[in-house]
Amino acid sequence: MTSTILVTGGAGYVGSHTTRLLLDRGYRVVILDNLSTGHIEAIDSRAELVRGDLQDKTQIEAAFKDRDIAGIFHFASNILVGESMEKPWIYLRDNVVSACNLLEVAMAHDVKRFVLSSTANLFDAPDEIPIKAEARIAPGSPYGESKYAIERLLGWMERIYGLASCCLRYFNASGAHPDSTIGEDHHPETHLIPIVLQVALGQRERVTIFGDDYPTVDGTCVRDYVHVLDLAEAHLLAFEAMKDGKSRKYNLGSGSGYTVKQIIDHAVAVSGKPIPYTVGPRRPGDLPVLVADTKKIADELGWQPRNSDLETILETAWNWHLAHPQGYSTPKA
Ligand code: UDP
């Protein structure tokens, strides 16, 4: 029988790409999304949408009604590190309460598998680079803290209810679907690659590089950019592996790092457009280098970052921006 997966945040960036892959592989998908930051146009027509808010358990119940949910992919959350330093309660409280509500309803319906969208922001004080899945946890913000709290909740769900979970700590999610129908569209946009491409499109005057006095090859920060399709694939592999009833935690990146200046240079080559930049002050909280060690997920699940070379990331992102210069058409506040 076809399994039904509940995808929270299926109208968002990683959620919409993962939904597409699930549907392509023959799963049924029900999306639970309040569309506060997600986009209705990002929802695949083969998926069912239950418009609802995780803060309200009755709205979560609506997604379970008359459905046999085999697993949950939990993406819906507030996701901005910087915002979380200014509005900590929508992270420390709301992200955690949403997860508690979801898990309470899920356990009442005897769900056995759960994949969590987690973050590299758990590793704010790395002892070594690349960062292994077993590295010491030191959340770098209320956002990271909220994901760590949810990872810990999942430990209790396993112990008490036998829930198998997989926590996937993304490094820098990037790129877009190769057919350019879905991609990255955040309001406000804070991420480097979309900002760089908006400059290439002439929508912004220049990129401001946040500091060029870090101990890296060119003084700008190094990050590990991983293609959103590779993230999606990892979710499916994790879900399928959890048939064995075991929980897991993995770090997900490409395993290679690029500086901010290298991203700009490659984006100039891919877009064929000038991308002016200036150097501004460091952004508070930025670490010089963040790169994932992905050996654990490669060894255990056979995952490989097949789309995460910088050319593929930038080409798919650029094609998405060309096809949707204003992003999805329904405006966000
Ligand atoms: N960055 C930058 N200018 C920008 C946005 C980002 O220099 O306008 C840098 C940022 O300091 C970091 C890297 O680009 O070193 C990636 O930032 P992003 O916000 O995309 O992801 P993060 O690594 O913070 O999760």
Side-chain angles (χ1 to χ4, degrees), residues 81 119 121 171-173 184 189-196 204 206-211 214 220-225 258-260 263-264 282-283 286-288 290:
V81 170
T119 174
N121 194 249
F171 281 60
N172 291 62
E184 189 168 10
E189 189 51 79
T190 62
H191 295 109
L192 179 66
I193 289 179
I195 286 176
V196 164
R204 294 176 188 251
R206 59 178 63 85
V207 182
T208 302
I209 295 180
F210 299 145
Y214 287 96
T220 65
C221 290
V222 171
R223 292 291 179 273
D224 182 340
Y225 297 88
Y258 292 94
T259 67
V260 175
I263 295 291
I264 295 173
R282 289 183 173 196
R283 186 172 65 176
D286 267 341
L287 293 177
L290 280 172

Side-chain angles (χ1 to χ4, degrees), residues 20 29 78 92 139 172 181 231-232 245 251 260 298-299 329:
R20 176 81 72 90
V29 175
N78 297 310
L92 296 171
N172 291 62
T181 54
L231 294 180
N251 290 355
V260 175
D299 288 351
S329 54

Side-chain angles (χ1 to χ4, degrees), residues 62-85:
F64 280 83
K65 195 167 165 8
D66 302 327
R67 295 187 182 93
D68 185 14
I69 304 287
I72 297 178
F73 288 25
H74 180 40
F75 297 98
S77 117
N78 297 310
I79 57 156
L80 298 174
V81 170
E83 180 188 61
S84 80
M85 298 296 283

Side-chain angles (χ1 to χ4, degrees), residues 130-149:
I131 302 171
K132 294 192 172 72
E134 304 76 18
R136 186 166 54 89
I137 305 246
S141 66
Y143 165 64
E145 188 70 48
S146 72
K147 293 289 181 174
Y148 184 43

